[in-house]
Amino acid sequence: MFGCSCSSVSVCQWLARPSVKPFIGEVISGGIDSVQLDPWYSPATQVRFKVLESFGTDQPRPVFVMRVSPTAGMCSPMPYILGRRYLVFPRTVHEGEESLCGFTGRLVEESAAEVALVRDYYASRNRYRLRGRVAASSHESYVELSLLMGESRPPKGVRVVATQGESSYTALVDDRGEYEIKVPSAGDYRISVSSPAYLPLEPFSVAVPAAGCAIRDIALSTGNTIEGQLRDPDGKLLSVGTVTLRDADPAPPGRRPFELRAYASKSEGSRSRTSLLENTP
Amino acid sequence: MEPQRPSEVSSNWDSAYYPLGSTREKAQAIEITGPGQQVKGLVIVPGPPITYRRLAIRVRFPDGKPMTTARVRITGNNWEEIVFYLPTQKQPWGQFPVPANRKIRVEVTDSWKRDLKREYAAEFDAGTTAIEKDFVIKP
């Protein structure tokens, strides 16, 4: 029997697999070649790429034909759309090898940082890296989703510092909420985060591997809350309602505007309480 | 200048902004200046009660098959919903409540950002009757 769990594989995890030779390719046939096809239920069995850039091989192919199986669609869609360019991590699943489920490509136009990472990695420049996303969130595992859904906006003025011995390496979180620290060698690094707009975070350790790179998302907390009541025009308390906080600032490219909803409930006696509010830097 | 951070209430009442009676443009900023700040005692009063009408949408191809990747955006004055159109064989229509007191615009795009070659949109004046709109997407 074949089975898989639905978790995405990061670029760092792909780079740690020397047998996987990524490439950037444009879909020239196969895949999703009609607007009538739903990537979640694609009948496609193969995708033909015109290879534009190859990594980790001395014998690049001009064309790469990749078999895609219904199994991939079980855990994720298969959105190799005709005419679009992807960073592809082709894999071969042998008997006994760990199976990696799901769509493994990255749309180039939406993955500039990951494309740059792969290029640098194979050019052996700044080989050791620690990267991740930072946002106000209740847990680090929700950071990516919070940024994607617009429930948290990329924090401004946040520095992430990696320390090993007497040496420190710093990165500023960018306007997408991402950071990347280039370090000179593999090993354990002590990570600290500094920002006047968020509550202090206890330093923690991250191991940067010899192959691939380390990913660590960071959840910040403001400790801010807004609390109040909903009342109808006659002054009567309302027990149900939705309060939406919106930011008038334009959202960064590729991100939804910051928006956070709080729901008044009977159990709270019509009080609406919300937290994780962004600070004004 | 600090950005305004209006509070909007929506349920069976019309949306409104904090403080009482303000418009979106005149909404009062709630300023958060540092970590650990607690703002308490805010009283938010919604607008007058409003009624909703039924909006039924079908998005399909000329052969009758539903466009399962359709992204439907419904907007009115100061009101917006992006809804998931999840048709089934038995129920090809998606149904959504929309405010009766607003002109409503419905736009259909592809959730995978594929080019549909032309605009698929429709507008409906304020009213209380149910709306049905059948979009036929030509590939």
Side-chain angles (χ1 to χ4, degrees):
Chain A
M1 274 301 280
F2 182 83
C4 70
S5 60
C6 296
S7 61
S8 63
V9 180
S10 72
V11 169
C12 289
Q13 289 171 300
W14 282 120
L15 293 176
R17 294 171 167 262
S19 63
V20 175
K21 310 295 184 192
F23 66 87
I24 292 174
E26 180 179 320
V27 179
I28 53 175
S29 67
I32 306 297
D33 57 4
S34 164
V35 75
Q36 289 183 266
L37 292 181
D38 185 339
W40 283 97
Y41 305 100
S42 169
T45 56
Q46 69 171 34
V47 185
R48 181 182 291 265
F49 294 93
K50 176 186 176 186
V51 178
L52 306 171
E53 205 171 338
S54 295
F55 303 100
T57 177
D58 296 328
Q59 297 172 317
R61 309 182 204 181
V63 171
F64 191 100
V65 180
M66 188 165 72
R67 187 170 60 84
V68 290
S69 69
T71 309
M74 185 177 77
C75 289
S76 75
M78 198 287 291
Y80 285 118
I81 293 171
L82 186 66
R84 292 188 180 172
R85 295 181 177 188
Y86 296 87
L87 170 63
V88 183
F89 298 90
R91 65 175 190 265
T92 305
V93 180
H94 299 289
E95 190 175 351
E97 184 180 344
E98 178 191 0
S99 298
L100 298 168
C101 299
F103 177 61
T104 60
R106 304 286 195 281
L107 192 59
V108 168
E109 65 186 56
E110 295 177 353
S111 311
E114 291 176 317
V115 170
L117 170 62
V118 172
R119 284 178 176 146
D120 271 9
Y121 188 84
Y122 281 97
S124 296
R125 297 194 297 266
N126 311 118
R127 192 175 180 89
Y128 305 101
R129 296 176 186 220
L130 166 64
R131 63 202 312 264
R133 291 157 287 241
V134 182
S137 187
S138 57
H139 190 272
E140 63 190 54
S141 59
Y142 303 143
V143 166
E144 182 178 9
L145 189 63
S146 295
L147 288 168
L148 187 69
M149 299 303 290
E151 292 173 354
S152 190
R153 58 183 294 174
K156 294 176 182 174
V158 175
R159 287 185 183 279
V160 182
V161 182
T163 303
Q164 189 182 54
E166 299 296 315
S167 301
S168 291
Y169 311 91
T170 302
L172 193 63
V173 176
D174 67 16
D175 61 4
R176 295 177 58 84
E178 297 171 356
Y179 74 94
E180 184 173 275
I181 302 176
K182 295 160 184 169
V183 293
S185 61
D188 290 335
Y189 289 82
R190 193 81 173 150
I191 307 301
S192 59
V193 180
S194 65
S195 168
Y198 295 89
L199 295 175
L201 196 66
E202 196 69 28
F204 54 90
S205 290
V206 170
V208 176
C213 45
I215 290 184
R216 176 65 186 261
D217 289 348
I218 299 171
L220 299 175
S221 174
T222 65
N224 300 135
T225 59
I226 289 180
E227 194 172 322
Q229 295 177 328
L230 306 182
R231 291 183 178 272
D232 72 12
D234 296 327
K236 185 181 172 188
L237 279 173
L238 294 173
S239 59
V240 177
T242 307
V243 180
T244 303
L245 297 168
R246 289 180 181 160
D247 197 326
D249 277 348
R255 300 286 182 186
R256 294 177 59 180
F258 168 70
E259 184 172 303
L260 187 63
R261 293 188 179 197
Y263 297 89
S265 66
K266 290 178 181 176
S267 62
E268 290 199 356
S270 195
R271 286 189 313 167
S272 177
R273 181 184 171 90
T274 185
S275 58
L276 297 173
L277 296 171
E278 307 291 324
N279 289 319
T280 304
Chain B
M1 185 162 175
E2 290 301 322
Q4 291 194 324
R5 298 187 175 186
S7 297
E8 180 184 326
V9 177
S10 64
S11 57
N12 290 323
W13 305 80
D14 208 348
S15 58
Y17 290 86
Y18 179 80
L20 177 64
S22 62
T23 61
R24 181 169 188 150
E25 292 70 32
K26 293 179 180 175
Q28 180 178 306
I30 301 168
E31 193 175 0
I32 306 291
T33 55
Q37 189 173 331
Q38 320 293 318
V39 177
K40 294 187 175 181
L42 220 64
V43 176
I44 300 173
V45 180
I50 57 169
T51 56
Y52 286 80
R53 65 200 297 200
R54 184 175 66 89
L55 168 65
I57 300 170
R58 181 166 66 171
V59 187
R60 61 185 174 94
F61 295 107
D63 63 5
K65 291 181 180 170
M67 183 185 181
T68 54
T69 63
R71 175 183 185 270
V72 180
R73 180 169 176 253
I74 309 169
T75 52
N77 179 27
N78 197 22
W79 185 87
E80 177 181 8
E81 290 282 341
I82 294 173
V83 296
F84 293 101
Y85 171 65
L86 300 170
T88 63
Q89 196 74 21
K90 286 184 177 177
Q91 181 50 272
W93 292 84
Q95 302 198 42
F96 315 99
V98 295
N101 64 345
R102 287 165 164 81
K103 184 175 183 176
I104 294 295
R105 177 179 169 83
V106 183
E107 298 168 29
V108 176
T109 54
D110 177 48
S111 58
W112 293 94
K113 299 178 185 172
R114 288 173 289 186
D115 185 6
L116 299 184
K117 304 288 193 285
R118 51 159 283 203
E119 181 184 70
Y120 291 92
E123 291 188 349
F124 305 93
D125 288 332
T128 53
T129 56
I131 302 169
E132 282 191 357
K133 177 61 185 172
D134 192 11
F135 289 99
V136 180
I137 309 296
K138 294 178 181 167

